[in-house]
Amino acid sequence: MFKKQQLTKTECSQSMQAIKDALQVLSGKWKLPIILALSDGPLRFKELQRAVNNITPKILSKELKELELNEFVERTVHATSPVTVEYNLTPYSGTLEKLIAELQSWGLQHRQYIFSKSKMRKAVEA
Amino acid sequence: MFKKQQLTKTECSQSMQAIKDALQVLSGKWKLPIILALSDGPLRFKELQRAVNNITPKILSKELKELELNEFVERTVHATSPVTVEYNLTPYSGTLEKLIAELQSWGLQHRQYIFSKSKMRKAVEA
DNA sequence: CCGTATCCGCGGTGATACTG
DNA sequence: CAGTATCACCGCGGATACGG
């Protein structure tokens, strides 16, 4: 269905691994909202907290670390007193654009598809 | 960064919803492996269990129900004795192809990107 | 202000046993 | 064979409080 040519076990598991990598990067409640919040410009920790539905600092911290590891977000410390920390998107985060667009358009059409199906069913029942 | 034009709150949350829909459909340990297993042809319940790393029947059942709801998988009962049940992919599941391809290629390039970064860091440390 | 530490409840997953 | 029921566990995520 998806691949007409036969794949070796190794090729297949590599492909699965790549897909899992990609999903892991975006899945979870918070990563996309954080990225979106930062897409309008850099924010400080507390500002991010407020921007993203009052996420708990523990979780925000964890999410930001993951986003840093994946090089989507850059953390810069300003030696003011008290210290302030700014988070901003890296240029590399732009590589997500196509993927996100694809997710968005598929999700949209899928919602409409499922919706129209359930309407049909209701019409038949009536 | 991602959208140059300003979006209204409603448009934005609709877009987020679509993305979440798409992610939910594919996220989790099992959905992709199941779809992949079925992509070579229909399988029965027990065969699927074996094909997908000995997934527990409870979980497999739950996952299959979700995949049915989303119309990726079709369930057909054969009135043999004892009954046998076949699961197979629907044509609609083909709409995932582009999305999966995108996930796969992005995941691959990302892994290479992160890997090359960590090599660079090691080289600098040495 | 920027986080970390501690505690805790809940959901999801797995093991096992069981019914039709 | 196909699927469900029961139980137990673990880890995520939230609330709250605290340290640098």
Side-chain angles (χ1 to χ4, degrees), chain B residues 105-124:
Chain B
S105 79
W106 188 88
L108 198 58
Q109 79 81 25
H110 183 59
R111 177 168 282 263
Q112 282 160 357
Y113 176 75
I114 295 297
F115 178 68
S116 71
K117 283 282 177 178
S118 74
K119 257 201 326 197
M120 263 179 49
R121 224 171 283 132
K122 282 217 176 82
V124 170

Side-chain angles (χ1 to χ4, degrees), chain B residues 17-47:
Chain B
Q17 190 54 55
I19 295 173
K20 280 181 189 167
D21 288 348
L23 284 176
Q24 196 166 350
V25 156
L26 293 180
S27 69
K29 264 195 232 171
W30 301 112
K31 302 219 180 60
L32 262 316
I34 290 172
I35 291 178
L36 244 56
L38 290 176
S39 70
D40 295 330
L43 288 175
R44 316 224 318 251
F45 191 85
K46 190 87 181 204
E47 291 171 328

Side-chain angles (χ1 to χ4, degrees), chain A residues 29-30 56-59 62:
Chain A
K29 263 197 236 169
W30 300 113
T56 295
K58 183 178 69 171
I59 305 299
K62 194 197 68 179

Side-chain angles (χ1 to χ4, degrees), chain A residues 19 22-27 32 96-111, chain B residues 3 14-27 32 95-96 98-104 106:
Chain A
I19 295 173
L23 284 175
Q24 197 167 350
V25 156
L26 293 179
S27 70
L32 262 318
L96 287 170
E97 215 161 331
K98 252 186 77 186
L99 179 53
I100 289 179
E102 194 65 39
L103 283 166
Q104 202 258 358
S105 79
W106 188 89
L108 198 58
Q109 79 79 27
H110 182 60
R111 175 167 285 263
Chain B
K3 303 274 180 190
Q14 271 180 3
S15 152
M16 272 296 298
Q17 190 54 55
I19 295 173
K20 280 181 189 167
D21 288 348
L23 284 176
Q24 196 166 350
V25 156
L26 293 180
S27 69
L32 262 316
T95 62
L96 287 170
K98 252 187 78 186
L99 180 53
I100 289 179
E102 194 65 38
L103 283 166
Q104 203 258 0
W106 188 88

